[in-house]
Amino acid sequence: MVKRETTVLDIAESIPDLWQILTEEQRELLVKNYTIQRFRKNETIYCEGETPMHLMCLLSGKVKIYKEGVGGRSQIIRVMKNQEYFAYRAFFAEENFVTAAAAFEPCTICLIPMPLIMQLLKENNELAVFFIRQLSKDLGVSDERTVNLTQKHIRGRLAESLLFLKDTYGVEEDQSTLSIYLSREDLANLSNMTTSNAIRTLSNFANEKLITIDGRKIKIIEEDKLKKISKIG
């Protein structure tokens, strides 16, 4: 964990939503206590069963939140994008992590000690509302994902995952290629299916001209048709 020489502008740009809520004194306290940590591709950020110690904010890169399942299979619960906060729910619940987190690609994360966050929460009602809102949004996404991954058939699940990745990370300059290159295993874990089923269904989508595949690059050609498949389930 590396302490970074920083300026007020640096931290303000890194965590703008949180920063705006704090008083000047609280901002100074935060700047004195936050740290920056960098992770390599596929490196574990935290493990299931560990004790939560920090609020984390993703500054750059992409992160997956996942849970180990039966037979060694993982289920990706959520994916994080820049300036999203994570790793704090378990602390509020006074329990250890029930999930794990890892880097999809090299990433940089801001860490703020949770005891400091608790101190600021007691002083700042707006900050408490901020975290209530964040937890509520996360719960809504989790509820929707649970329904999608348990009630839809394989084609519907994979179509939903591709659209979910597009909504989360966007597309490249061609306006079609997903701005994230997942392994087939990660795509399967995101879609609640086996890797072989993910490969087969992805190939079927390509044969139907819904997408094109170039290694890990996936280009969405017929988004409306994917949406229909996702809704049909």
Side-chain angles (χ1 to χ4, degrees):
M1 196 176 297
V2 180
K3 183 72 176 181
R4 188 186 70 164
E5 292 299 324
T6 187
T7 66
V8 171
L9 181 60
D10 287 332
I11 186 66
E13 290 179 345
S14 298
I15 50 173
D17 294 339
L18 196 64
W19 186 259
Q20 293 172 8
I21 297 171
L22 303 179
T23 65
E24 196 63 38
E25 182 179 353
Q26 290 169 342
R27 290 172 179 174
E28 291 177 3
L29 188 60
L30 190 150
V31 168
K32 291 178 181 177
N33 287 276
Y34 92 110
T35 51
I36 293 292
Q37 191 166 358
R38 294 174 177 82
F39 294 86
R40 300 182 302 276
K41 181 178 179 179
N42 296 325
E43 186 175 359
T44 299
I45 298 169
Y46 65 79
C47 296
E48 187 173 344
E50 286 184 350
T51 301
M53 299 296 293
H54 297 89
L55 167 69
M56 299 185 186
C57 181
L58 181 61
L59 304 185
S60 66
K62 299 177 178 68
V63 168
K64 63 179 177 181
I65 310 296
Y66 65 97
K67 188 173 181 63
E68 295 294 345
V70 178
R73 280 186 57 196
S74 297
Q75 175 66 58
I76 296 178
I77 309 298
R78 283 191 296 147
V79 295
M80 313 303 300
K81 59 185 177 181
N82 288 0
Q83 296 184 346
E84 284 194 332
Y85 301 89
F86 64 106
Y88 60 93
R89 186 210 61 82
F91 185 91
F92 288 154
E94 298 183 337
E95 61 186 28
N96 292 335
F97 286 122
V98 297
T99 60
F104 271 135
E105 60 184 43
C107 63
T108 303
I109 295 175
C110 173
L111 297 91
I112 304 170
M114 282 304 300
L116 173 59
I117 292 296
M118 292 300 294
Q119 176 186 335
L120 297 177
L121 282 171
K122 293 175 182 177
E123 300 172 357
N124 191 320
N125 290 335
E126 285 188 55
L127 186 62
V129 173
F130 171 81
F131 280 110
I132 291 172
R133 187 175 295 116
Q134 293 299 309
L135 286 167
S136 299
K137 289 179 180 178
D138 290 345
L139 180 60
V141 171
S142 178
D143 286 348
E144 185 174 2
R145 290 278 296 158
T146 297
V147 172
N148 290 338
L149 295 179
T150 56
Q151 296 191 4
K152 291 182 178 180
H153 294 297
I154 288 176
R155 284 173 60 86
R157 294 204 299 269
L158 188 61
E160 190 273 337
S161 290
L162 294 176
L163 296 170
F164 175 71
L165 291 171
K166 179 179 182 293
D167 290 341
T168 302
Y169 293 124
V171 292
E172 297 184 351
E173 293 180 358
D174 63 4
Q175 301 302 309
S176 299
T177 303
L178 297 178
S179 291
I180 182 170
Y181 309 147
L182 292 186
S183 68
R184 298 297 183 263
E185 182 180 6
D186 276 335
L187 188 57
N189 291 341
L190 183 65
S191 307
N192 190 28
M193 61 178 67
T194 63
T195 303
S196 59
N197 279 337
I199 293 172
R200 183 167 56 254
T201 307
L202 206 61
S203 296
N204 290 339
F205 284 173
N207 292 334
E208 295 166 33
K209 310 298 183 186
L210 304 179
I211 62 174
T212 60
I213 305 170
D214 180 9
R216 292 190 177 186
K217 290 186 178 182
I218 298 175
K219 179 184 290 188
I220 294 179
I221 305 299
E222 296 286 353
E223 184 173 350
D224 288 341
K225 290 183 180 179
L226 285 177
K227 286 180 179 178
K228 288 181 181 179
I229 293 171
S230 176
K231 289 178 181 178
I232 293 171

